[in-house]
Amino acid sequence: MGETTVKSLDDRTTPSSPIVDGGRFARLRARTPRRPTIWFEVALIGISYWLYSLTRNAVPEQKAEALKNADWIWKIESSLGLAFEHTVNHAVNSVTWLIVSMNYYYATLHFVVTIGVLVWLYRWHPGRYAAFRTVLFATTGVALVGYYLFPLAPPRLMNGVNFVDTVLVHQTWGSMASGNLKHVSNQYAAMPSMHIGWSLWCGVTIFLLAKAPWSKILGLLYPAMTLVVIVSTANHFWLDAVGGMLCLAFGFAVSYFWYGSRPHRLPKLVEPAASTPRRSGPPPEEGTDREDGKTPSDDAERPVSSGR
């Protein structure tokens, strides 16, 4: 009574997380994973990103407050002896091919890799897809709260610190908040960094689910490289990255509360909704493939009646 089961495609019944009878949140937790529907997921992701962009850009920019907060962040990092963004920004900017590559990295991989991981989950881990998608959505949602409560100018827009805006200097389209596109995006929504939130979501997901060691390594390298990029291009402080990590932790907590299990602990595969009902009795022994538990050889060995 206190445990639900999910039947995987390989005909094995996998128990999901237990539901405590009579618990305050019994009706909310331990949702049974369902097979995702492609058209619904595409529409959901598209509409959600549109609403995210609309909400993020609708947050009052509060330029004076954002610049004040940037000075405050810079003082905190300086007091910790970890205000290294300026040094990294100028060092990488001196290598043209490297900083141009990072500009394009910042502009493209943020979306390409995230969508790619979602597709990979949908295709190869449908039983876990919804839970990991919930993590991503909750992470992004709580980030909007941060943009509203703590407007923050990126380092490249600070006064008197002489950061290099690498997009403007090298005339690339590495950021929606620079150049000709700066008027259609909130330039003061730097805390938390969703470049880190999303890339870390991708990296953790790949690390937890991928089988090949090289895939796990690449999964961990991706958010690490993203951190280098956001600092080198002067789009974020490293403390913005910490904010993105905290948002991701919140996303995993929401998913755990909703499904009653960590996403990677859910069954990999789930059967379609219109499947054959499960048997109430024990599963047939190994080597059988019929509802009555008999093997085809049982019928072959049965003597045939002559009818007399």
Side-chain angles (χ1 to χ4, degrees):
M1 292 296 293
E3 183 175 276
T4 58
T5 58
V6 178
K7 188 175 181 182
S8 61
L9 290 179
D10 56 2
D11 215 20
R12 291 177 296 182
T13 300
T14 306
S16 65
S17 300
I19 304 176
V20 179
D21 293 332
R24 179 178 300 179
F25 303 112
R27 295 183 179 181
L28 296 178
R29 299 193 62 188
R31 304 285 179 173
T32 301
R34 298 179 180 180
R35 174 171 291 277
T37 306
I38 182 64
W39 64 265
F40 175 80
E41 295 301 327
V42 171
L44 179 62
I45 292 172
I47 294 174
S48 297
Y49 182 74
W50 175 73
L51 290 174
Y52 163 75
S53 300
L54 188 67
T55 305
R56 178 179 184 269
N57 297 333
V59 172
E61 290 193 349
Q62 304 176 16
K63 180 178 179 180
E65 186 69 18
L67 290 172
K68 179 181 177 181
N69 288 335
D71 291 336
W72 181 69
I73 290 288
W74 187 243
K75 289 178 181 178
I76 290 179
E77 293 187 351
S78 298
S79 66
L80 295 173
L82 296 174
F84 51 77
E85 290 92 342
H86 185 273
T87 301
V88 174
N89 172 237
H90 280 262
V92 178
N93 184 67
S94 65
V95 184
T96 303
W97 67 266
L98 180 58
I99 193 60
V100 168
S101 299
M102 288 188 175
N103 283 342
Y104 289 123
Y105 179 112
Y106 185 88
T108 58
L109 292 191
H110 179 54
F111 304 102
V112 173
V113 177
T114 303
I115 293 174
V117 173
L118 282 169
V119 172
W120 176 62
L121 285 169
Y122 180 90
R123 177 63 180 85
W124 299 107
H125 298 268
R128 299 161 179 160
Y129 171 87
F132 276 105
R133 186 244 290 141
T134 298
V135 174
L136 183 64
F137 278 32
T139 298
T140 306
V142 75
L144 292 174
V145 179
Y147 300 149
Y148 183 84
L149 296 178
F150 192 78
L152 179 67
R156 59 186 173 76
L157 293 182
M158 291 180 67
N159 297 321
V161 189
N162 192 30
F163 278 97
V164 178
D165 189 331
T166 61
V167 172
L168 293 180
V169 170
H170 299 280
Q171 300 181 349
T172 59
W173 42 275
S175 173
M176 286 290 289
S178 295
N180 295 329
L181 298 176
K182 64 182 180 181
H183 300 296
V184 297
S185 178
N186 183 359
Q187 299 189 78
Y188 304 110
M191 171 67 84
S193 169
M194 279 299 93
H195 270 75
I196 291 299
W198 288 14
S199 66
L200 190 59
W201 174 84
C202 292
V204 170
T205 300
I206 293 172
F207 179 80
L208 291 174
L209 299 183
K211 294 182 179 180
W214 63 267
S215 298
K216 293 180 178 290
I217 293 173
L218 287 179
L220 296 179
L221 286 178
Y222 175 54
M225 184 61 191
T226 300
L227 176 60
V228 174
V229 168
I230 66 173
V231 170
S232 299
T233 57
N235 280 296
H236 288 282
F237 298 97
W238 65 263
L239 278 176
D240 299 344
V242 174
M245 295 175 188
L246 293 176
C247 289
L248 183 65
F250 173 81
F252 271 102
V254 170
S255 179
Y256 181 83
F257 174 81
W258 188 253
Y259 290 97
S261 175
R262 286 172 289 181
H264 66 288
R265 297 294 186 185
L266 293 170
K268 177 179 180 179
L269 304 173
V270 292
E271 65 179 359
S275 60
T276 304
R278 295 194 303 268
R279 294 183 297 271
S280 58
E285 298 179 359
E286 185 176 356
T288 67
D289 56 4
R290 290 171 40 162
E291 293 290 333
D292 56 9
K294 297 179 180 180
T295 63
S297 60
D298 292 338
D299 292 334
E301 295 175 359
R302 183 181 299 171
V304 180
S305 173
S306 63
R308 291 183 290 178

